[in-house]
Structures are given as structure tokens and as C-alpha cells.
Amino acid sequence: MPQRRRFLLQLGAASVALSLGKAGEVLAAAPASAPAAADFSVSAFAPMVGRPFKLVRDGASADLRLARVVPLKNAQGHADEKRARERCFTLVFRSEQPSALEEGIYEFSTAGRPAFSVFMSPILGDKRSYQVVFSQV
């Protein structure tokens, strides 16, 4: 099971890096002391709960609200457990109206934060909730 979890975490990190494109390359190349252009952490998103986000994909847009930030429950087995708890989390978004957004890469924007692109998927059985999973270990 630990190997499967490690694989899934690495896969998640790879998908985030791919979706970030050039921004991911810039973040990876930045020195550790330089501030990141986009902070993808529990601490960065927690104050944004309740904030509206605009999503864009293939020219179409939708509005969702950040409903919850769900941190990693168990960081045991990670080389840096503190970092895993801060950098491995799920964002849960809600739509005001039932919607049918498909899973895929969306560009997210909200006031006071640089736009970013990540993979989002619907939460099965709920036509109003969507999730974005971050796994950066």
C-alpha cells in the first residue's frame, strides 16, 4: 500500500506540474529564498474559503465558490511530514446551480491571486461539487 500511495502522490504532483506549464518551470527554477509566484498550500487557500472563482476552459466559463480545503489526513511515511501536511490537500468547490462541468484542466482566477491552471474533477453523485487535488512532496 505505501508504494501505491507514493505512486499516486507522484502522479498527482506530475499532473499539477504539467498543468502549470511554464509557470511550473518558473516555480521549479526559482531559488528557495525567492517568493513563489503562486503558493499552492493549505495556508494559502484556507483564507479563501467562501471566495468565488472563475473557471475557463475552451472559451467557456463557469463560476464556483471554494467550499473547503481538506488537508492530508495522514502524512506518515513521507520524508517530510510537515511539508506533506501543508502541500498535499484537496480543494472542494461548489456551484450555486446544478452544473455539468467535465473533468479536465481549467484556468482558475479569483481576486488577489494569480490565475492558475489545474486538473479538476466532479465529485461523483453530486452535481454541484468539484475537487482539485494537490500533491507536492
Side-chain angles (χ1 to χ4, degrees):
M1 189 66 166
Q3 287 180 327
R4 181 174 186 266
R5 180 176 18 175
R6 186 175 298 121
F7 169 76
L8 291 173
L9 291 173
Q10 289 172 342
L11 179 63
S15 66
V16 168
L18 286 173
S19 67
L20 288 172
K22 290 287 183 193
E25 292 173 20
V26 170
L27 287 174
S33 61
D39 182 9
F40 298 107
S41 65
V42 170
S43 299
F45 281 101
M48 296 182 194
V49 171
R51 186 181 288 188
F53 281 75
K54 179 171 278 309
L55 284 69
V56 177
R57 179 177 182 207
D58 298 331
S61 66
D63 295 312
L64 298 179
R65 189 166 300 279
L66 180 59
R68 291 184 297 154
V69 178
V70 182
L72 180 67
K73 289 183 172 64
N74 184 354
Q76 289 180 336
H78 291 279
D80 186 344
E81 291 181 16
K82 182 178 178 183
R83 177 178 168 80
R85 281 192 295 275
E86 183 64 17
R87 298 291 185 173
C88 299
F89 60 98
T90 301
L91 300 178
V92 177
F93 291 90
R94 291 256 319 147
S95 172
E96 297 293 323
Q97 303 294 324
S99 59
L101 298 175
E102 295 179 7
E103 67 179 24
I105 297 174
Y106 289 81
E107 182 178 327
F108 284 72
S109 60
T110 189
R113 180 170 177 92
F116 58 97
S117 295
V118 290
F119 185 86
M120 181 187 75
S121 61
I123 295 176
L124 296 177
D126 185 344
K127 297 199 184 287
R128 293 182 187 215
S129 296
Y130 300 88
Q131 65 183 355
V132 173
V133 177
F134 289 89
S135 179
Q136 308 167 80
V137 290

